[in-house]
Amino acid sequence: MNISYNWLKEYLDFDLQPEEVAAALTSIGLETGGVEEVQTIKGGLEGLVIGEVLTCEEHPNSDHLHVTTVNVGQGDPLQIVCGAPNVAAGQKVVVAVNGTKLYDGEESFTIKRSKIRGIESNGMICAEDEIGIGTDHAGIIVLPETAVVGTLAKDYYNVKSDYVLEVDITPNRVDATSHYGVARDLAAYLKQNKVKATLTRPSIEAFKIDDPSPAIEVVVENTEACPRYSGITIKGVTVKESPEWLQNRLNVIGLRPINNIVDITNYILHELGQPLHAFDAAKVAGGKVVVKTQPEGTSFVTLDGVTRTLTDRDLMICNASEAMCIGGVFGGLDSGVTEATTDVFLESAYFHPTWIRKTARRFGLNTDASFRFERGLDPNNTVYVLKRAALLIKEIAGGTICGQIQDVYPEAVKPYSVSVTYNKINTLIGKEIPAETVKSILESLEMEIVSETAEGLQLNVPVYRVDVQRDVDVIEDILRIYGYNNVDFSDSVKSNLSYKTPTDRSYELQQLISEQLCGSGFNEIMNNSLTRAGYYEGLSTYPASHAVMLMNPLSADLNCMRQTLLFGGLESIAHNRNRKNGDIKFFEFGNCYDYDTDKVKENETLSAFTEEFRLGLWVSGNKVSNNWAHADEKATVYELKAYVENILVRLGVNTGKLVFGNLTNDIYSAALSITTGAGRQLGTLGVVNKKLCKGMDIDGEVYYAELSWTLLMKEIKKSKVTYSEISKFPAVKRDLALLLNKSVQFAEIQKIAFDSDRKLLKKVELFDVYEGKNLLPGKKSYAVSFYLQDEEKTLTDKQIDAIMKKIQTNLEQKLEAQLR
């Protein structure tokens, strides 16, 4: 949110510089990201002076240019070539001397000495649009005779500098979404730091009813969605351009002026934080404003010209016959103020935050009004703000205030009652703060001390502080004003014994694997857990029916929780490839979510939901690229498999007991599953389906692996990564050439071999695969090495032959293998 330094000073008298204000606000929780100097006119009219045209003659080499001499109040008159049709001797004009920088939108150019059609020109006589004070380019600016030659243009046009503070408002601090709200918080800080500063609230003492005759009536049918609605009618207004001071106020904070009525509502919004809406009273049919919902499916055209379909949970501001506005969110196309408007109905209301938030999300609208309403405003402030706005309208647009203020407020909201003890304050803050200091801070925050005892205080917290309803909230407020930096570290340390939990171990291993992957050339990515439900449409591996949907999504692109890390990584790959970075190695740790209706249990709300922590790896592009010593080499799925195996080994998983089996699903075009001997799937890896890649505009192969970190932690719960000495006794290698059916995978051979001997068989490796001539149809040949070793003695031929015979027999019986 942009806060104007000069505007802030209208409510709080202080001597701090803009940078000091930024530091003070940051220290009390209103983090200020930056301070930028701005001017009412870009460039501040630096280098421009008031001059007088002494002579004006036709240019000898042009039929439309003039050669002038101009007195700018110092030095010799300047010779300036001018192309404006209205230039003449005796005029007072605005001159840009050499070296002046002029702006055209975001671009700029500098006035320099030059020759125009052979005649030297030193400067430029300016038009309105060339210096930013208007849009006219028909001719140069001709000033009144009273203009004094040599006066700086910035002084003549009263150009003022201001500073804009970019304040980041946290969701709980709706009370600070205005200049007065920020000033109120800053006043508390200054008081605590013994800096003199007086907080002044805009006065409404001049408010009075000019015409008591009845005006527009207000009826609230839905008091749940609208606990308070205030309004007033102002007749005989003149809708026109706002005065310069009001336009400048809005321009500085980045708002575009529209007309005086609309500008006043925007001014009040940023002054006091209360959204207002102005209706053309002539369009309030039946002379009545009705606050209610419309039937499901009703169409309504909003101010942006979009037709929206309403639900019965969208609060509408209606007249006697039709809807005029989506309450608290967006105005209607036909009920707003235009230049033809003469009578205005001004709305100031308090809407239920949940209603506004759901409606805004449903329509994908995020307006300044909805931003504030959905966080909870002060219902006791509506009439004060209404009077403030009505006075400004009378001042700027004229008119008379007609009829009594319409104020529907069935049940007044009372201040929050909170008890807080000094002991808890000191315990949570970690420092003993004097009781008088505590009371001073609370009073500066406008918290009323109802009663006091030796133990603590009973407080009434203002309604506008919706975030302070518990004692810990009060203590947080005390601390931020007292100053986090004022809490000292003591010389003693209080500690308790701790032990390493499974979560700690998981985190340590996560860091270990992250370092390993980074060392292998990977980059870590972090994607949003929210994703697009459309990714899962038509998938069977991750069906759309299993997606955990959001009830009030921010957008269609963030409407469900991810079931897999895959799509976030593909988005990151597409983003990089579009920026000429196609050689990619990514990894990500993150949670994935699933909803299974088959697991629903009565009285167990979360029974159908599961959350699993996973590790995803993506490899795409070239393994070697642009290397003088090595030809370009494409990455392969085998490279990814090696990375996965290295992770498993580093974690201490016994890879000899894992089964890498064929996997067929709609995520991969070719893949392996990694399962334990007990059948638990630890992960998958393979080549991502081309259809999914194409959907992300990714050309080329993407190799992806996803491991269940949750299951991996369970698998290695009791295992330790240890070392062993190299055996003194040699290993023995025996090779078998096996003729097998094409459907048989190496993982099956590996499993049968280890099942045959678990003590002396140490490793099984595939070193050759042959398919082709001299083999029966449907057959292939595997050449497999078996490594045998006894850690305590040298193996004998008898032992080796017995083990190999057993392996061979099992392979023949279970896989119909034949020796070649």
Side-chain angles (χ1 to χ4, degrees), residues 297-366:
T298 302
S299 294
F300 180 71
V301 182
T302 46
L303 196 59
D304 55 2
V306 176
T307 301
R308 304 181 190 275
T309 302
L310 306 175
T311 72
D312 59 0
R313 299 292 293 175
D314 298 318
L315 186 68
M316 304 299 295
I317 313 301
C318 310
N319 56 34
S321 58
E322 61 182 358
M324 299 186 295
C325 171
I326 302 176
V329 179
F330 212 30
L333 184 63
D334 300 323
S335 61
V337 172
T338 65
E339 291 183 358
T341 300
T342 56
D343 301 336
V344 170
F345 176 77
L346 196 61
E347 163 196 286
S348 176
Y350 169 73
F351 299 116
H352 195 289
T354 304
W355 278 70
I356 301 303
R357 183 168 58 252
K358 288 183 176 181
T359 293
R361 297 296 174 270
R362 195 154 35 239
F363 294 126
L365 295 169
N366 183 24

Side-chain angles (χ1 to χ4, degrees), residues 114-249:
S114 61
K115 280 192 175 183
I116 301 176
R117 299 282 182 93
I119 301 295
E120 185 175 290
S121 180
N122 291 284
M124 173 177 168
I125 305 175
C126 301
E128 281 187 1
D129 65 329
E130 291 168 334
I131 64 174
I133 65 167
T135 57
D136 186 12
H137 192 69
I140 60 170
I141 303 167
V142 179
L143 301 175
E145 283 291 329
T146 54
V148 178
V149 172
T151 302
L152 297 178
K154 65 180 179 180
D155 295 332
Y156 182 85
Y157 285 104
N158 194 28
V159 175
K160 295 181 179 179
S161 289
D162 196 355
Y163 293 87
V164 172
L165 287 73
E166 188 180 333
V167 180
D168 296 327
I169 303 297
T170 53
N172 62 318
R173 292 301 308 277
V174 69
D175 64 290
T177 55
S178 65
H179 283 74
Y180 182 78
V182 171
R184 182 171 52 203
D185 233 32
L186 183 59
Y189 167 86
L190 295 176
K191 181 179 178 181
Q192 174 59 30
N193 287 273
K194 306 296 187 293
V195 178
K196 270 192 167 185
T198 304
L199 181 66
T200 305
R201 196 183 193 198
S203 173
I204 57 169
E205 288 183 4
F207 179 86
K208 64 184 179 65
I209 306 298
D210 300 313
D211 182 357
S213 56
I216 292 173
E217 178 190 356
V218 171
V219 177
V220 178
E221 294 185 4
N222 191 327
T223 55
E224 177 199 345
C226 181
R228 187 174 192 182
Y229 192 95
S230 309
I232 197 165
T233 305
I234 305 170
K235 293 185 177 180
V237 300
T238 302
V239 180
K240 58 183 179 181
E241 190 178 78
S242 294
E244 183 181 1
W245 72 265
L246 180 53
Q247 291 192 47
N248 288 342
R249 279 279 181 260

Side-chain angles (χ1 to χ4, degrees), residues 573 577 582 620-621 690 693-694 696-702:
I573 290 172
R577 289 176 71 94
S620 183
K690 288 186 181 296
C693 292
K694 189 175 180 181
M696 296 284 190
D697 290 329
I698 298 173
D699 296 324
E701 300 284 13
V702 175

Side-chain angles (χ1 to χ4, degrees), residues 548-569:
V548 179
M549 303 299 296
L550 271 65
M551 294 178 66
N552 297 297
L554 296 171
S555 69
D557 288 339
L558 299 170
N559 60 350
C560 81
M561 307 296 284
R562 63 188 175 193
Q563 294 186 63
T564 173
L565 301 175
L566 171 63
F567 296 107

Side-chain angles (χ1 to χ4, degrees), residues 200-455:
T200 305
R201 196 183 193 198
S203 173
I204 57 169
E205 288 183 4
F207 179 86
K208 64 184 179 65
I209 306 298
D210 300 313
D211 182 357
S213 56
I216 292 173
E217 178 190 356
V218 171
V219 177
V220 178
E221 294 185 4
N222 191 327
T223 55
E224 177 199 345
C226 181
R228 187 174 192 182
Y229 192 95
S230 309
I232 197 165
T233 305
I234 305 170
K235 293 185 177 180
V237 300
T238 302
V239 180
K240 58 183 179 181
E241 190 178 78
S242 294
E244 183 181 1
W245 72 265
L246 180 53
Q247 291 192 47
N248 288 342
R249 279 279 181 260
L250 299 179
N251 280 324
V252 163
I253 61 172
L255 293 180
R256 179 176 63 87
I258 298 172
N259 61 52
N260 52 2
I261 303 297
V262 175
D263 291 350
I264 287 169
T265 62
N266 285 330
Y267 177 83
I268 294 293
L269 171 71
H270 289 274
E271 178 187 51
L272 299 169
Q274 172 67 45
L276 300 173
H277 191 73
F279 296 93
D280 187 333
K283 296 174 182 177
V284 182
K288 182 185 293 186
V289 168
V290 184
V291 184
K292 61 180 182 179
T293 56
Q294 295 282 61
E296 183 90 24
T298 302
S299 294
F300 180 71
V301 182
T302 46
L303 196 59
D304 55 2
V306 176
T307 301
R308 304 181 190 275
T309 302
L310 306 175
T311 72
D312 59 0
R313 299 292 293 175
D314 298 318
L315 186 68
M316 304 299 295
I317 313 301
C318 310
N319 56 34
S321 58
E322 61 182 358
M324 299 186 295
C325 171
I326 302 176
V329 179
F330 212 30
L333 184 63
D334 300 323
S335 61
V337 172
T338 65
E339 291 183 358
T341 300
T342 56
D343 301 336
V344 170
F345 176 77
L346 196 61
E347 163 196 286
S348 176
Y350 169 73
F351 299 116
H352 195 289
T354 304
W355 278 70
I356 301 303
R357 183 168 58 252
K358 288 183 176 181
T359 293
R361 297 296 174 270
R362 195 154 35 239
F363 294 126
L365 295 169
N366 183 24
T367 61
D368 283 340
S370 68
F371 176 84
R372 289 162 174 79
F373 278 126
E374 65 188 41
R375 283 161 174 78
L377 293 176
D378 181 3
N380 296 331
N381 203 37
T382 61
V383 171
Y384 164 78
V385 172
L386 198 63
K387 291 179 178 180
R388 167 72 172 151
L391 287 171
L392 277 176
I393 289 175
K394 282 188 66 178
E395 176 190 335
I396 293 171
T400 57
I401 299 172
C402 299
Q404 296 300 317
I405 291 177
Q406 298 289 301
D407 185 25
V408 181
Y409 194 19
E411 189 175 342
V413 178
K414 297 178 181 178
Y416 309 115
S417 181
V418 181
S419 298
V420 62
T421 64
Y422 292 121
N423 180 58
K424 191 165 186 179
I425 292 172
N426 296 330
T427 300
L428 286 186
I429 291 178
K431 180 177 182 179
E432 188 168 332
I433 300 177
E436 290 306 313
T437 301
V438 169
K439 289 189 285 185
S440 173
I441 292 173
L442 293 174
E443 287 170 357
S444 67
L445 290 169
E446 300 184 358
M447 296 183 190
E448 180 189 358
I449 299 174
V450 178
S451 62
E452 179 182 4
T453 65
E455 288 74 32

Side-chain angles (χ1 to χ4, degrees), residues 591-594 609-613 710:
N591 285 313
C592 294
Y593 307 85
D594 184 80
F609 296 91
T610 55
E611 178 181 354
E612 188 176 59
F613 198 60
T710 303

Side-chain angles (χ1 to χ4, degrees), residues 30-51:
L30 301 179
E31 185 177 351
T32 304
V35 179
E36 181 184 359
E37 184 178 6
V38 295
Q39 287 128 347
T40 51
I41 298 175
K42 189 165 186 178
L45 300 184
E46 291 292 338
L48 295 164
V49 296
I50 308 302

